Amino acid sequence: MEPYAVDIDPKQIVRWIRDEDHATPDKFRIVAGRTSEHRAIPLDDARLGDEEREDLTEIATVATLEIAPVPASDGWVLTVTVEDEIGPRPAGGGMREIDITSFYDQFLRTGRGTASVGAEVDGAEGEARLNRLLDAAATNRHPAS
C-alpha cells in the first residue's frame, strides 16, 4: 500500500460514509476508537503547585476512524484522525471503541481538535476506486440509495 493525498474536509467524508453505510451496511469495514494520552503537566506551569501537579495530568484525546472497502481487495484504506488536547484532568482513560456516529458527533460535528484525512492505495485500480469514492463524497452523491 502506498500513501495517497486526500484533500476533502474530514467532516464531509465521515458524514458521507456514515450515510452510505446506513443505506448499504456491508459496503465498508469501519473501525473507530478513541485513546486518551496522559502527559505530565509541564514543570514551568506556574498555576499549579507540586501537589496539584501530582494529582493531574494533561490529556490529549486521539480519535481514529478507519474505513476500508468490502472486499478488502478493492485496494484502499481511508483514515480520519482527530487530536484534541483537553488540558489538565484527573488521571484515567485508555482505548475505547466507538461507532462512526459517535466519532462524527463527538469530534467532527462539534469541531473538537484538529482533524486530518489520510489514505493508502494498492496500485492503480485501488487508486481509481478511491478516487470514485472521494468524488462521490465531495459531491454528496450516494450511488447505494
Side-chain angles (χ1 to χ4, degrees), residues 52-128:
E52 289 90 356
R53 204 174 276 111
E54 288 177 15
D55 292 338
L56 297 175
T57 58
E58 201 163 75
I59 296 179
T61 299
V62 178
T64 305
L65 176 70
E66 186 177 280
I67 303 134
V70 174
S73 62
D74 277 1
W76 59 267
V77 175
L78 262 175
T79 304
V80 179
T81 305
V82 180
E83 184 169 342
D84 180 23
E85 292 185 14
I86 57 177
R89 297 287 188 271
M95 177 62 172
R96 193 175 97 190
E97 193 171 319
I98 57 177
D99 63 17
I100 188 170
T101 299
S102 297
F103 181 90
Y104 180 80
D105 289 344
Q106 292 175 19
F107 296 97
L108 295 175
R109 188 177 56 82
T110 61
R112 275 179 62 183
T114 304
S116 62
V117 181
E120 292 183 345
V121 296
D122 191 14
E125 287 184 26
E127 184 176 341

Side-chain angles (χ1 to χ4, degrees), residues 14-36:
V14 174
R15 187 174 38 238
W16 186 88
I17 292 285
R18 183 190 61 185
D19 294 346
E20 193 69 12
D21 186 57
H22 181 71
T24 312
D26 295 328
K27 187 174 185 173
F28 302 111
R29 179 186 56 79
I30 300 171
V31 178
R34 59 186 264 173
T35 303
S36 295

